[in-house]
Amino acid sequence: MGAMDKRPAEAEKPQATPAPGPARAPWLIVLAACAGQFLVVLDVSVVNVALPSMRAGLRMDAEQLQWVVNTYTLTFAGFMLLGGRAGDLFGRKRVFLAGLGLFTAASLAGGLAQEPWQLLAARAVQGTGAAVLAPSTLTLLTTSVPEGPARARAIGTWTAVGAGGGAAGGFVGGVLTDALSWRWVLLVNVPIGVLVLLAVALRLSADHPAGGARRLDVPGAVLVTGGLGAVAYGIVQTEAAGWTAPVTLVPLLGGLALLGLFVAVESRAGAPLMPLRLFRLPSVSAANAAMFVCGAALVSSWYFMSLYMQNVLLYTPLQAGLGFLPHSLSVVAGSKLAPRLMHLIGARNTALTGVALAACGFLWFSSVMAADGGYAATVMGPGITTMLGTGLLATPLASMATSGAPHRDAGVVSAMVNTSRTMGGSLGLAVLSTVAASRITGEAPDALAPGYALAYRTGAVVLGCCLVLVALTLPGEGRRAR
């Protein structure tokens, strides 16, 4: 166990000996963290290939279909800070087990859903469980591995497994949907979740939670989740009703008001969900801003790729899942390459390289997406480019976003990394889906392709803005040195 884990325990109990039971070996911590992260990220993407089957099976409309993804990501993002703080206060192992248990139970309920509202409700609970689970995975690493090359390698492995989960979701979803049914993209989490629960409960020693009052900022979590959900809903309504209709303006303005109230509550709370003082750290504020903007484009990439392959190229779910395999390898390769590049050219330059590659991939997508497109030039080539960039940018941004923060805030800082990306992804999916719908004129392949291409073209602009943001605001190696 790292020095940071030992010092608080030694200060409180100088003569204490370690509790009997399995040691928290570094490999065990990395394995537990990666297993949890794999499940959480897998469930963001595994449903993408199954969306057309879900729509047919539960008789869902296009708007409900989008909320199968967004209901999960919104609750995931909105309650993740609460989950991060809970880990600091109650212990990472305890919170890890609670989040994984809730996630597994909700997966079972979603797989058995008979009505659209039942599926959406299960996805909301599933996102809440993921929000409790996800921060504990990164915090287990950042509190056990000291800053430097060792932590960069550990975060690189965590990122690669998470990215692999997101990328493998397409293949896993395709196989399960084609061989069994769409329900199994959710039910598959149940046996895996039970196995991980047993392994962590039996083999991972409990950690020492932070001292002091154990208060959770539940009002803050409710405000930020409600605000983001209302803004996303308002954006979706613009496609059918326009920007000036009450059905659009009321949720948009109401959501912005809730987000403003969230900031006000956080500035006065005794135990805030998101301590605003953390944003005084240049690396934390800049890296989280970059995560938000990048997420606004990249999270939706899997969604549109899956719809394009099945609705335009007329692939089966299994064929679409197989089509994602090169992307899976690419994003994992980028994640594993990132720590080496960080050592050679620095974190900021590695992140810049990743964002530039992802933007080029989006531009490539937008220029070749057509009804008569082929797999190699239209899906594989731009997909590999985009996902290589995604893998390269995630590790340096996560590393910088968690560096320099006080130990007592390790959980909430780790949660902010995932929250920023997922919040951006939720709002980005709402915006890009609305952009795509404005160009789609029917259900035929030649009517759908222009809408998907426009979504990627808009995403490329967003990534271009992120490139400028990283270049201007992310601290360089010289600025980070003391």
Side-chain angles (χ1 to χ4, degrees):
M1 182 165 62
M4 288 192 297
D5 285 342
K6 291 181 179 178
R7 283 196 295 267
E10 290 168 353
E12 294 172 12
K13 301 180 180 180
Q15 304 302 322
T17 57
R24 295 176 66 198
W27 68 267
L28 185 59
I29 295 171
V30 173
L31 182 61
C34 290
Q37 180 71 357
F38 180 84
L39 278 176
V40 167
V41 179
L42 176 73
D43 226 68
V44 176
S45 61
V46 73
V47 301
N48 284 328
V49 172
L51 287 173
S53 298
M54 287 180 176
R55 182 177 184 178
L58 294 180
R59 300 176 301 279
M60 306 176 77
D61 58 35
E63 183 177 325
Q64 288 175 322
L65 197 66
Q66 178 186 322
W67 285 101
V68 172
V69 177
N70 252 358
T71 301
Y72 179 87
T73 55
L74 281 171
T75 53
F76 184 25
F79 287 98
M80 204 182 308
L81 290 170
L82 190 69
R85 179 55 76 192
D88 291 334
L89 297 179
F90 300 105
R92 281 97 198 190
K93 176 183 175 179
R94 186 179 301 171
V95 171
F96 183 100
L97 291 173
L100 183 56
L102 185 62
F103 177 88
T104 304
S107 297
L108 178 62
L112 299 177
Q114 301 299 313
E115 298 290 339
W117 70 266
Q118 294 173 348
L119 176 60
L120 296 181
R123 290 287 285 171
V125 177
Q126 201 180 25
T128 304
V132 176
L133 172 62
S136 298
T137 65
L138 183 54
T139 308
L140 284 173
L141 297 182
T142 59
T143 57
S144 304
V145 183
E147 289 190 31
R151 182 183 291 186
R153 287 193 299 271
I155 292 178
T157 300
W158 174 86
T159 304
V161 170
F171 172 69
V172 173
V175 171
L176 292 174
T177 302
D178 230 26
L180 299 170
S181 80
W182 66 263
R183 297 181 182 279
W184 280 95
V185 303
L186 300 173
L187 293 175
V188 71
N189 295 325
V190 178
I192 298 174
V194 170
L195 287 176
V196 177
L197 275 169
L198 291 174
V200 172
L202 296 175
R203 298 298 303 165
L204 189 64
S205 300
D207 56 325
H208 298 281
R214 296 184 176 185
R215 291 178 293 172
L216 287 175
D217 182 16
V218 177
V222 172
L223 286 171
V224 71
T225 304
L228 285 169
V231 169
Y233 180 79
I235 292 172
V236 171
Q237 296 306 306
T238 61
E239 193 275 326
W243 287 93
T244 58
V247 72
T248 298
L249 288 177
V250 170
L252 280 177
L253 296 178
L256 292 175
L258 288 175
L259 293 175
L261 186 58
F262 167 72
V263 174
V265 167
E266 297 306 285
S267 66
R268 293 170 172 80
L273 182 68
M274 185 176 67
L276 299 182
R277 57 182 165 76
L278 292 174
F279 288 100
R280 299 192 190 107
L281 297 171
S283 60
V284 172
S285 57
N288 275 281
M291 279 285 197
F292 182 91
V293 179
C294 285
L298 294 174
V299 169
S300 63
S301 179
W302 301 101
Y303 179 83
F304 289 111
M305 269 196 286
S306 178
L307 293 182
Y308 175 76
M309 282 193 282
Q310 293 186 75
N311 293 340
V312 176
L313 300 184
L314 303 180
Y315 287 3
T316 66
L318 178 57
Q319 288 173 325
L322 290 171
F324 280 123
L325 281 180
H327 309 154
S328 306
L329 298 175
S330 182
V331 73
V332 172
S335 299
K336 296 302 292 181
L337 179 61
R340 299 182 182 181
L341 282 181
M342 289 168 63
H343 179 71
L344 294 174
I345 63 176
R348 183 176 65 175
N349 289 334
T350 303
L352 283 170
T353 302
V355 177
L357 276 174
C360 290
F362 266 56
L363 284 174
W364 188 352
F365 268 127
S366 69
S367 64
V368 296
M369 270 192 165
D372 58 351
Y375 173 74
T378 310
V379 177
M380 186 175 71
I384 288 175
T385 304
T386 298
M387 293 307 140
L388 180 62
T390 301
L392 286 177
L393 67 88
T395 297
L397 290 181
S399 181
M400 295 190 75
T402 57
S403 65
H407 182 269
R408 68 181 184 275
D409 292 319
V412 73
V413 171
S414 299
M416 285 166 59
V417 176
N418 281 316
T419 299
S420 298
R421 179 178 62 243
T422 312
M423 281 182 175
S426 297
L427 296 180
L429 178 58
V431 171
L432 295 180
S433 295
T434 303
V435 168
S438 70
R439 186 64 62 88
I440 292 173
T441 57
E443 296 293 329
D446 57 354
L448 293 168
Y452 301 151
L454 181 60
Y456 276 105
R457 193 172 303 117
T458 307
V461 174
V462 173
L463 289 171
C465 294
C466 187
L467 189 69
V468 175
L469 178 68
V470 170
L472 296 180
T473 66
L474 204 66
E477 300 306 308
R479 291 174 61 188
R480 291 177 64 199
R482 297 186 180 221

